[in-house]
Amino acid sequence: MLYSCSSSESVVSKNVDLGKYEYASIINNETYHIPAELMVYEIQLFDAVEASRLQLVGEHRIHELTPLQQSKLLLVKYGVSHNDDAAIVTVNFIDYMTGRPVASCRGTFGLGLDRAGDLNGAIKKVEKQISKTFPKR
């Protein structure tokens, strides 16, 4: 197969105003972390979130935010998968105060020829989805 027809997309909760969110903290701890062989792509995933209007806050600095700022904070979890045809990168945004998922962005890319190229393409596509979901003001 020379290409994959999988689509990139975002899903947003009907009951949430994404306009209220200003901050994001990417979760990367002992219970949730990227596989070692994919760590090189972690930089690009952080860049993808920074390309939106959300301001990154280190997970160890969340306690320094005021309660009002915490109410505008999203936790970010990401997943990366790859098969013979394509790479898929999913980035989920979770309300810090409630733990409720509010948005999920997915980027899919595949020529099936080069794993690194497919992952790079999927990250670029998820970055576009994140920027559309949380556009700069």
Side-chain angles (χ1 to χ4, degrees), residues 111-137:
L111 298 176
L113 303 173
D114 174 33
R115 179 182 172 120
D118 288 353
L119 282 169
N120 281 323
I123 290 170
K124 287 178 183 171
K125 289 194 173 226
V126 83
E127 180 176 342
K128 287 180 185 175
Q129 291 300 315
I130 293 168
S131 292
K132 285 181 186 177
T133 305
F134 299 98
K136 294 188 184 241
R137 294 179 179 154

Side-chain angles (χ1 to χ4, degrees), residues 2 9 50-51 58 96 112 133:
L2 292 177
E9 66 180 352
E50 281 186 319
Y96 175 74
T133 305

